[in-house]
Amino acid sequence: MSLAVLNDGQTVDAGHEPMISRSRRFGRMFAAAEQRHGPAGFVPLYLALGPRLHPRGPDTDDDAAATAALAEADLDSALLAALDDASFDSLVVDAHRDSQQALGARGGSPIISIDGQGFGGPVLTAPPSPHRATALLRAVIDAARTPEFAALQRPYQGPPAFTTGEHNIR
């Protein structure tokens, strides 16, 4: 799912423009990583980059975050060039289209698909303990496999928080 593609052709306020630009740039890098390495490149990069960007302060250096994430994921630093390479935009558009088709409607992030059933979410505010993460995954899978399940939502609980303790994402 790409925030940049989702908002293509839309008028967005100045406060959201940096997020859309960031989405476009990182979408390109993920497209390049997947093109070169398949899921074996995408997944570790996703896991390494997320904690560097969410939550982020106003002074977050995207290029430095990308450099560190590529190193942590053991991927070639040459993938940094994709951040500003528009030739990857069509791959991002294709991946975004696939996410929207899996969801069955226009929707934002995250989008997951289980057994052909697309869902928006789950949205977490902090990494759960391994035991609770396993229980949550099982519950999401059970919901996906229940044909009558339609939606579950509660009020927004705030932005994600990443701790440095036992349950750190990195």
Side-chain angles (χ1 to χ4, degrees):
M1 181 274 150
S2 167
L3 185 63
V5 176
L6 184 71
N7 287 283
D8 255 356
Q10 308 284 328
T11 301
V12 296
D13 62 66
H16 284 92
E17 185 56 43
M19 292 177 6
I20 291 171
S21 176
R22 170 181 269 179
S23 171
R24 187 171 318 283
R25 294 184 78 225
F26 283 118
R28 292 168 175 166
M29 188 173 72
F30 278 107
E34 183 150 18
Q35 182 182 59
R36 185 177 294 177
H37 302 286
F42 185 96
V43 172
L45 180 58
Y46 182 86
L47 294 173
L49 189 60
R52 290 178 167 81
L53 298 180
H54 305 286
R56 63 188 186 285
D59 298 326
T60 299
D61 180 336
D62 288 348
D63 290 357
T67 300
L70 287 168
E72 181 179 325
D74 198 27
L75 296 173
D76 187 352
S77 63
L79 290 171
L80 279 173
L83 289 168
D84 298 309
D85 185 346
S87 71
F88 289 102
D89 289 352
S90 65
L91 294 174
V92 176
V93 168
D94 291 347
H96 176 81
R97 183 193 62 243
D98 291 347
S99 76
Q100 301 301 286
Q101 287 175 343
L103 185 59
R106 184 176 188 271
S109 179
I111 294 173
I112 61 170
S113 180
I114 299 170
D115 294 342
Q117 298 296 315
F119 295 95
V123 175
L124 304 174
T125 58
S129 68
H131 171 74
R132 297 204 45 94
T134 300
L136 175 60
L137 179 59
R138 286 188 183 126
V140 169
I141 291 170
D142 285 345
R145 292 181 175 161
T146 302
E148 301 81 10
F149 178 77
L152 176 67
Q153 187 173 350
R154 69 172 164 189
Y156 183 67
Q157 303 293 309
F162 294 92
T163 63
T164 58
E166 170 187 344
H167 307 299
N168 191 350
I169 290 253
R170 287 190 211 159

